[in-house]
Every structure is written in structure tokens, then in C-alpha cells.
């Protein structure tokens, strides 16, 4: 696979506290990275406006909002997000919310992603939260619900990517956070995989935050990850 195609599969998470830090990271990464994730931390520090600036500059944006609410509220939120021109948006993979979002995003080109089980959660965490399923079983059940709702893809751990890909088929996005290059610290992630391993497992996109944005040389860190991804192509 050409390097520029692989570049579109790497999503760098701008998990930084201020717009100034985000702008600095994007400037340092330059044309090495073309796809960015904006989550709660940056969104509530002016990141939604920054998302539109990135889109206008030719970058792709993954808005990681993990929406979940009553159907009408989800639908109205998705309608406005679709107008922003971002590429991807996350929702928690609850069937009613997903169906409402799909109807609201129809014709927009916005790729809706269902979040299955957070990669910071293990079996005990799910038990504590009142779920009867282990992480793997719950991920697969929600992958089926994502597919049946007509969503654009799934967010799951790379450890579940192969099984999820078998459920959703070849066309849906399988987006995997919790990616750590060989030798990197795990941080608060519990179900992780290397970039090459995730690609081989069936991931369409990899989300990498701290290994890039916290690196002394952000561009070099991103280039290393891309090189690892290319070994799996």
C-alpha cells in the first residue's frame, strides 16, 4: 500500500489542554499527519472551532464525542456536526441512538462510529458497571448492532479487530484506539496492540495520541508509527 494511503489511516489524537498546544502539535507534524481526533479535553477548550479550521485547511477530523441521549437530542446534534464537515463522529453503540444518528446524517458523508467497549476497561470494570458480558462478548454484540443500524463503522480494541471485521464485513471502518508502538508505556490503556498488529488484525484506522503528542519529536514519532504500519501492508 502506498505511504500516502497509509497516512490517511493514522489518526493522531490531539489530547492536549489548550488550543495553543493543539496548534503547535499540528504545526510540528506538518504534512506527516492528515487526520486528527478531537475529544472532550480539547473540545471544551475551543476545539470545536479548531476542528472546522482543520477541515478548512484540508485536514480530516475525527470528532470523538461519544454521543448518547434521547433520540431527538442525538439527531439534532448529529445534524449540526454533519454541517461542520468533519469526517468521523463517535456515539456509544446503543441501538436506538445509532438509528437516530444514521437517519440524521443521511446524505452528509459523515462516518458514524459506534463505540463498543472503552479500551481502558477490562472484565472487572464491566462487572462493576453492571454488565453481564465480558469485554470480548460485549464488543461482538455491539458490532452486530452497529452493522444492523447502518452505521459507518466500529470503535474497538485492536485485540477485537479481527473478530469485529468478520462481523461487519470489508466495507465498514474498524477504528482502533489503544495503539502503542513497541516498547511504549501503556498509560491507562489495558487492551492495546502495536500499529502493525492492528493493521494485520483488520483495523482500517489507528488512533494514536500520547505516543505522538507527548513525544519530544512529534514528527519523528508519527513517522515511526507510519513505518510500522507499512510493514503490515
Amino acid at each position: 500500500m502506498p505511504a500516502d494511503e497509509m497516512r490517511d489511516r493514522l489518526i493522531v489524537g490531539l489530547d492536549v489542554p489548550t488550543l495553543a498546544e493543539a496548534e503547535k502539535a499540528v504545526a510540528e507534524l506538518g504534512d506527516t499527519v492528515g487526520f486528527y481526533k478531537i475529544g472532550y479535553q480539547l473540545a471544551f477548550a475551543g476545539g470545536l472551532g479548531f476542528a472546522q479550521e482543520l477541515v478548512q485547511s484540508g485536514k480530516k477530523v475525527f470528532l470523538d464525542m461519544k454521543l448518547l441521549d434521547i433520540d431527538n437530542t442525538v439527531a439534532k446534534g448529529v445534524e449540526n456536526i454533519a454541517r461542520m464537515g468533519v469526517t468521523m463522529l463517535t456515539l456509544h453503540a446503543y441501538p436506538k441512538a445509532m438509528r437516530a444518528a444514521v437517519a440524521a446524517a443521511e446524505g452528509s458523508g459523515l462516518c458514524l462510529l459506534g463505540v463498543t467497549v472503552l479500551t481502558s476497561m477490562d472484565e472487572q470494570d464491566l462487572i462493576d458497571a453492571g454488565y453481564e458480558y465480558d469485554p470480548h462478548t460485549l464488543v461482538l454484540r455491539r458490532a452486530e448492532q452497529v452493522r444492523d443500524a447502518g452505521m459507518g463503522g466500529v470503535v474497538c480494541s485492536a485485540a477485537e479487530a479481527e473478530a469485529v471485521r468478520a462481523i461487519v464485513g470489508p466495507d465498514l471502518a474498524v477504528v482502533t484506539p489503544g495503539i502503542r508502538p513497541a516498547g511504549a508505556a501503556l498509560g491507562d490503556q489495558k487492551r492495546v496492540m502495536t500499529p502493525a498488529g492492528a493493521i494485520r488484525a483488520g483495523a482500517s484506522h489507528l488512533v494514536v495520541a500520547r505516543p505522538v503528542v507527548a513525544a519530544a519529536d512529534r514528527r519523528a514519532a508519527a513517522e515511526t508509527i507510519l513505518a510500522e504500519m507499512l510493514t503490515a501492508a
Side-chain angles (χ1 to χ4, degrees):
M1 177 177 292
D4 58 343
E5 289 184 29
M6 193 62 78
R7 172 178 170 271
D8 286 339
R9 299 173 68 177
L10 172 63
I11 304 172
V12 170
L14 292 174
D15 296 343
V16 294
T18 67
L19 276 180
E21 277 292 317
E23 290 166 350
K24 184 173 184 287
V26 171
E28 289 178 3
L29 288 164
D31 58 5
T32 304
V33 173
F35 209 153
Y36 289 99
K37 176 182 78 74
I38 292 178
Y40 290 150
Q41 183 181 26
L42 188 59
F44 298 137
L48 296 181
F50 186 57
Q52 291 179 288
E53 291 178 21
L54 288 172
V55 170
Q56 290 164 4
S57 72
K59 302 292 187 183
K60 294 181 179 180
V61 173
F62 167 19
L63 202 57
D64 190 17
M65 293 290 97
K66 300 183 181 71
L67 300 182
L68 180 61
D69 213 308
I70 63 172
D71 296 0
N72 185 65
T73 300
V74 167
K76 296 304 181 185
V78 169
E79 287 174 3
N80 278 344
I81 290 167
R83 295 188 187 103
M84 294 171 62
V86 301
T87 300
M88 290 177 167
L89 169 70
T90 52
L91 298 88
H92 281 292
Y94 284 61
K96 278 173 62 65
M98 291 192 293
R99 290 194 295 268
V102 168
E106 186 175 2
S108 69
L110 176 63
C111 180
L112 298 170
L113 302 172
V115 176
T116 54
V117 177
L118 301 177
T119 54
S120 61
M121 299 182 75
D122 58 18
E123 185 167 2
Q124 186 59 51
D125 294 322
L126 289 181
I127 291 170
D128 293 344
Y131 288 95
E132 62 179 298
Y133 300 107
D134 62 88
H136 185 75
T137 301
L138 183 56
V139 167
L140 300 190
R141 176 173 173 78
R142 286 185 164 168
E144 293 173 349
Q145 293 169 330
V146 165
R147 178 198 63 202
D148 295 345
M151 296 276 282
V154 177
V155 179
C156 66
S157 162
E160 286 106 22
E162 184 174 4
V164 166
R165 177 60 72 195
I167 290 170
V168 303
D171 297 328
L172 268 65
V174 175
V175 180
T176 57
I179 300 299
R180 293 291 183 270
L186 299 185
D188 61 358
Q189 302 288 349
K190 294 180 178 178
R191 299 180 353 265
V192 302
M193 191 174 287
T194 64
I199 294 292
R200 292 191 187 103
S204 62
H205 297 78
L206 311 186
V207 180
V208 185
R210 277 167 287 188
V212 173
V213 297
D217 186 334
R218 288 164 167 160
R219 181 186 287 265
E223 288 173 346
T224 296
I225 290 167
L226 284 167
E228 286 191 41
M229 292 168 67
L230 282 166
T231 66

